[in-house]
Amino acid sequence: MTTTLTTLFSEIASTIKGLDPQTISEERKQVLQPLVDFIQAKVDNKQEIRINFICTHNSRRSHLSQVWAQTMANYFNVKNVFCYSGGTEETALFPVVAKTLQNSGFQITTLSEGKNPVYSIKFSENEHPIIGFSKKLDSDFNPKSKFAAIMTCSQADGGCPFIAGAETRIPITFEDPKAFDNTPQQAEKYNERSLQIATELLYVFSLIK
């Protein structure tokens, strides 16, 4: 797919330019391949592409994955991609995740406060914002059928052997940056995980034809 850099905020485009998919190991590429296959099959059949990224609390890795996947779909001009996220339980989008995305160029607006704040996350002036908040994977906000369930953490992967309505269930797990909460390394580790996720999703969408 061809890229469409002009639609992204310039800082996000710069972040993407700095990513290097060659750092992804062959073993990891095999983990990512089922997602490539799912997206490509939908493109080939001119079908909508729905991807639900799932983690235990829908607070960190699943949101980073949702946001970067939607951004990469736009970057590579892959049409009709709709990305979601959910958890096995509802908590809140961890504020450091929003700050990490903001540091990469996303425009973050808090739409509502409370125990589970709702955020608008924009990657482009003219594209609809991603709505970020913690929700269960079967929330009414998420698709009920014809989607890929991407398990972004091993706990959710092991705890949810069956995802109702999913066409396919693909484990693509990431280490949890939560381990570094309230430490001097917190910002660094959240950024590291965000950029890893971005790099891998850049690789995935770069293969779509």
Side-chain angles (χ1 to χ4, degrees):
M1 289 286 178
T2 57
T3 59
T4 55
L5 283 173
T6 53
T7 66
L8 299 180
F9 292 129
S10 60
E11 193 174 346
I12 297 175
S14 295
T15 297
I16 293 173
K17 280 184 177 180
L19 302 175
D20 183 7
Q22 292 187 357
T23 60
I24 302 171
S25 69
E26 290 302 317
E27 182 180 12
R28 187 64 175 174
K29 287 177 181 178
Q30 292 302 310
V31 172
L32 298 170
Q33 190 60 43
L35 178 55
V36 175
D37 294 341
F38 173 81
I39 297 169
Q40 188 64 63
K42 292 291 185 181
V43 170
D44 292 345
N45 290 305
K46 296 180 171 56
Q47 295 175 329
E48 292 181 337
I49 303 158
R50 296 184 178 87
I51 308 171
N52 193 359
F53 294 93
I54 297 167
C55 200
T56 306
H57 300 111
N58 190 209
S59 59
R60 295 171 175 81
R61 290 164 286 181
S62 50
H63 271 106
L64 290 171
S65 300
Q66 175 191 5
V67 169
W68 278 117
Q70 195 69 63
T71 302
M72 293 305 176
N74 183 272
Y75 180 75
F76 285 104
N77 199 28
V78 182
K79 303 295 187 183
N80 297 315
V81 176
F82 304 95
C83 297
Y84 306 83
S85 65
T88 55
E89 57 186 275
E90 176 186 309
T91 57
L93 192 159
F94 193 58
V96 177
V97 169
K99 181 64 176 174
T100 300
L101 290 169
Q102 194 170 41
N103 289 342
S104 288
F106 292 88
Q107 289 188 1
I108 311 289
T109 304
T110 304
L111 301 179
S112 71
E113 304 280 357
K115 291 183 179 179
N116 186 6
V118 178
Y119 299 88
S120 162
I121 305 168
K122 292 202 72 172
F123 55 85
S124 167
E125 286 185 356
N126 296 325
E127 297 297 326
H128 194 280
I130 298 159
I131 304 301
F133 66 100
S134 182
K135 69 204 81 67
K136 294 186 74 171
L137 60 93
D138 58 355
S139 162
D140 287 340
F141 203 80
N142 286 340
K144 300 301 182 186
S145 63
K146 299 181 180 178
F147 65 92
I150 311 302
M151 315 307 289
T152 64
C153 72
S154 55
Q155 187 175 353
D157 185 32
C160 293
F162 174 74
I163 306 294
E167 282 187 19
T168 186
R169 179 181 177 283
I170 304 170
I172 303 177
T173 61
F174 301 95
E175 292 296 322
D176 194 353
K178 181 181 180 180
F180 297 92
D181 285 1
N182 303 311
T183 73
Q185 295 173 286
Q186 178 176 267
E188 173 193 349
K189 291 299 182 180
Y190 272 80
N191 187 59
E192 180 182 292
R193 188 62 59 243
S194 177
L195 294 181
Q196 178 203 351
I197 291 169
T199 301
E200 294 188 359
L201 290 168
L202 172 69
Y203 169 77
V204 165
F205 280 93
S206 73
L207 296 178
I208 305 305
K209 301 173 183 177

